[in-house]
Each structure stands twice: as C-alpha cells, then as structure tokens.
Amino acid sequence: MVRPMTDEDLRTRKATVTLADGRELMYFGAIPERPADYPDLRQLDAVHVQSQARWDRLLGEWVVIAGHRQDRTFQPADDQCPLCPSTAGSRTEIPAPQYEVVVFENRFPTLKTAQAATGGADQPNGAAWDPAAPASGSAPPEAGRQHSLLASRPAAGRCEVVCFSQRHTASFADLSPGQAATVMAAWADRSAELAGQPGVEQVYCFENRGAEIGVTLSHPHGQIYAYPFVTPRTDRMLASCASYRRETGSNLFDDLLAAEEADSSRIVLRGTHWMAFVPFAAHWPYEVHMYPRRRVPGLVALTGAARAEFCELYLDLLRRFDRLFDRPAPYISAWHQTPVRRGGDDFALHLELFTVMRAPGKLKYLAGSESGMGAFANDITPETAADRLRQLG
Ligand SMILES: [Zn+2]
C-alpha cells in the first residue's frame, strides 16, 4: 500500500471503540468504514493493575514498581500475535479485519489509568500522595515529607500501544511516508489528549525494536507512556537549560544545534525543516538526534511541512540503521517532548534514535560502568559513526 502523502494524511481520520474489558482502542488513517461493525468478541477479565511510584531519595527520581507485569504475553507464535487484525479464527486486540494504524490501552500497563488510581489503597508507609504537590523529578510529594525517606504514590498515568502497520513482518522502515504520517498524526493526537488527563506530567512516545531490546512482540509497534511525573532525563535537561539560560541568556537547545551545524562533522541528514546528527557526546555506538530547525515544544506544534519532511528523513535514517549490520538493527527511538507543566519556554522537541549494537553480532551491554555508575563509555567515536551513517545512504 504505497501511496503519496496527501493533505488528508495530515488530517488523519480517527475512530474510537471500546474493547471487551473496557479499554479504549483508536483506529487512525484508513479506518474501517463502520468500526462498530467489529465488536471485540473475546471474553476478557477486567484489567488488574497494581503500580506504585516510589521516590528514590538518593538519586532524586521516581521508580515505578509494577509487579503485575510478569504475566504479560511473551514472544507468542506468529499465528497467535495479538497485534494482527482479527480473523474469524483468531480474535486479537484489534477487532477489525484490517487497519492502517491503531492505538489502544495496554492490557499489561506499567502505569494504571489515572481514573482508577485516585483511591487510597496504594499509599503504604503512611506517605499519602497529595495530588496538589509538585510532580517534578526533583520534588517529592509534600504530603509525604514526614516519611519522605520512604515516600510513594500511585503510579497513575496511562500506557498505550501503537501498531504501526497491520503487516506482521513489516517494520517502521517499511512504511511509506504517507503511512508514517498517519503514525505521526496518532502520536500528536495522543500527546495532546493524554497531556490533558488528570495527573499526567509528561507524554513519551517511543519504539523498542528487536529482541535484544527486550521486545516481547515482533509485530511492528511502539508505545506511549503518560507519566504522573517528569522523567529523570527530562528533569536533568530542564535543569541544564535553566542554568544555561541564567549564565548566557540563551536557549541551550538552540545553541547546541547551531554548534553542531557549524562543526558539521557529525551531521547525518540536513533538511529544510530538520537536522539529524550524532551528538558530540554520544552515549551509544550509533546514536542520532533529530531536531526541527524551528524549536517547538512538542509534536502537536509541528507544521504540516515539518511533519512531512520528518517522515521522509526518519525513514531514510531507519533504513541506514538497518544497513549498518548484517541484519535489522535493534534500536530504541525516543520522542522527547516538553512536560505538561514545566519547561514550556526552553525545552525543544526532538527524537533520539540509537542502537545497542556496535558491530554484527556484538551488543553494547550496559555493564559495570554504565549500570553501576551511570558513566557511559562509547567504543565508536561519534565522528566515525556519523561518517558511516552518511555513507550508507
Ligand atoms: Zn502480528
């Protein structure tokens, strides 16, 4: 289904239905004519989620404890894939017999839906959660202060699954620009809607690809997390931005982008609206950051032209990653967006793409230095990685 991108792609159609256990599912793009004609016919028990966010007092960050996820579906046979469209003989998560892009609430979420988490049952140790307390990565809940060494709160939020294609064996890199635009429209739609839900502080769209990353389903899909706090990495970036602004009066993202452009040795792709480069201090063997040239806070703020060019450049980049090794590259692709209530003036939407592979058959393990101390050591110079990625075009 290769077709040119049209204006219609940027005003993507959407239809929402309810699954047998009450979860929401949304069709995007070429949706079934009458989605209600395809009800979820499965017998499903209600989703049972017990998630808790615990405050790590030493590191100043939240950790989500989600013990219920040990039972989730793990590497099912291809004909049991829960992300393929339903057929008469196989009822999956997607009731319709075909779809373009689908988003639905994860049946095995790390975070529980905000509505279900407002009760008092998840506040052990007397450290009750005050919904009015700041939810940043650096600020524990005020109400838990007297017990703040052992503070916790319900891990309220939402976890969604994004199916990029109905084709089980496809990958994101196989999509046409028009299909990729439908995924982008779904990301933007979800980012806006989830940011408006009670208690949500940050929306994170991402893709884990490959068994090496720990992906439990091979069907092409990504995920969206709506966190009840600002994540540790975003919190650190916001702090860097704030101190840089105090020192220089400038925006750190703008100046970094200008510095990379002026240096140019690590640039992989240059577009009218986007720039893709290996960062100066790359943590991973092959790591590329994509920034819109005009700083925007999130996916919703991108113009149609910027979205369209992103799809072209991103697909190009993913295909280069797949040519790096003698097999499809395992990767993590992470959208960084401005949190809901912090960083609006300074933060810059960008995508960070990296692979954990450093050579055919050789994985970069997060070992003693990285996992034990958080100190990364990268065996490939960022300039070499950028040169290699440029040549793979
Ligand atoms: Zn599948």
Side-chain angles (χ1 to χ4, degrees):
M1 191 167 65
V2 176
R3 55 182 170 75
M5 195 169 352
T6 65
D7 284 350
E8 180 62 27
D9 293 316
L10 299 171
R11 293 190 302 273
T12 299
R13 297 172 65 215
K14 174 188 174 188
T16 304
V17 298
T18 304
L19 297 176
D21 56 5
R23 287 174 296 139
E24 271 188 326
L25 179 142
M26 289 145 274
Y27 297 99
F28 287 90
I31 61 178
E33 198 60 39
R34 292 173 1 148
D37 287 351
Y38 305 103
D40 184 4
L41 299 174
R42 299 171 297 172
Q43 298 288 325
L44 292 179
D45 295 333
V47 177
H48 184 63
V49 180
Q50 286 186 316
S51 284
Q52 193 184 70
R54 295 188 180 182
W55 180 248
D56 182 329
R57 188 71 173 75
L58 277 176
L59 292 179
E61 62 189 40
W62 292 101
V63 177
V64 176
I65 311 290
H68 60 279
R69 298 189 76 233
Q70 290 291 9
D71 297 330
R72 68 188 188 272
T73 312
F74 183 76
Q75 308 281 19
D78 280 359
D79 62 356
Q80 307 266 306
C81 174
L83 308 186
C84 280
S86 282
T87 61
S90 169
R91 300 289 175 193
T92 72
E93 290 281 55
I94 296 97
Q98 53 190 2
Y99 66 84
E100 184 176 358
V101 172
V102 150
V103 178
F104 61 89
E105 287 182 79
N106 197 330
R107 185 162 163 79
F108 303 95
T110 301
L111 306 163
K112 65 165 71 177
T113 52
Q115 299 92 317
T118 49
D122 286 305
Q123 294 150 12
N125 309 324
W129 172 51
D130 175 0
S136 75
S138 57
E142 292 296 318
R145 179 144 294 177
Q146 74 256 37
H147 302 284
S148 63
L149 296 184
L150 302 174
S152 68
R153 56 187 285 191
R158 182 142 144 161
C159 294
E160 298 184 340
V161 175
V162 186
C163 298
F164 300 142
S165 165
Q166 66 175 13
R167 286 174 47 218
H168 183 78
T169 54
S171 70
F172 199 110
D174 297 325
L175 302 183
S176 69
Q179 291 170 307
T182 304
V183 176
M184 269 205 113
W187 284 331
D189 175 277
R190 304 314 302 143
S191 296
E193 192 166 312
L194 292 170
Q197 292 198 353
V200 170
E201 295 294 332
Q202 186 176 351
V203 181
Y204 172 42
C205 306
F206 64 103
E207 180 189 2
N208 297 329
R209 199 267 197 119
E212 294 87 347
I213 306 285
V215 177
T216 52
L217 298 171
S218 61
H219 193 110
H221 73 286
Q223 299 181 67
I224 301 173
Y225 278 19
Y227 294 101
F229 49 77
V230 175
T231 60
R233 274 170 63 84
T234 304
D235 192 55
R236 285 176 71 178
M237 288 183 199
L238 287 172
S240 298
C241 278
S243 63
Y244 188 80
R245 184 170 287 287
R246 277 196 301 274
E247 289 160 16
T248 67
S250 299
N251 179 272
L252 177 57
F253 286 107
D254 291 350
D255 287 2
L256 272 177
L257 217 60
E260 289 288 1
E261 177 123 61
D263 180 286
S264 86
S265 64
R266 287 170 300 278
I267 293 179
V268 179
L269 295 171
R270 273 194 180 90
T272 307
H273 302 280
W274 291 81
M275 202 170 94
F277 59 91
V278 180
F280 177 69
H283 286 50
W284 298 92
Y286 292 94
E287 171 176 344
V288 174
H289 294 189
M290 288 184 76
Y291 281 80
R293 291 181 181 277
R294 186 178 70 84
R295 174 161 49 93
V296 295
L299 288 158
V300 176
L302 289 173
T303 63
R307 283 199 208 183
E309 188 186 84
F310 172 83
C311 294
E312 302 276 354
L313 295 182
Y314 183 55
L315 290 168
D316 181 354
L317 195 58
L318 289 180
R319 288 162 192 162
R320 287 171 198 251
F321 264 58
D322 279 347
R323 285 183 218 118
L324 276 170
F325 313 113
D326 51 6
R327 41 150 300 167
Y331 64 74
I332 290 172
S333 179
W335 276 113
H336 291 246
Q337 305 198 74
T338 305
V340 176
R341 271 167 278 274
R342 288 177 56 206
D345 295 334
D346 262 338
F347 200 82
L349 167 76
H350 66 281
L351 180 126
E352 299 189 6
L353 171 72
F354 58 91
T355 177
V356 296
M357 208 165 239
R358 55 190 170 84
K362 291 180 182 166
L363 289 178
K364 158 82 180 167
Y365 286 105
L366 293 190
S369 186
E370 292 85 359
S371 294
M373 284 292 130
F376 274 71
N378 185 352
D379 295 338
I380 298 179
T381 70
E383 293 74 24
T384 304
D387 195 43
R388 181 103 199 282
L389 285 164
R390 279 194 297 266
Q391 289 172 16
L392 289 171

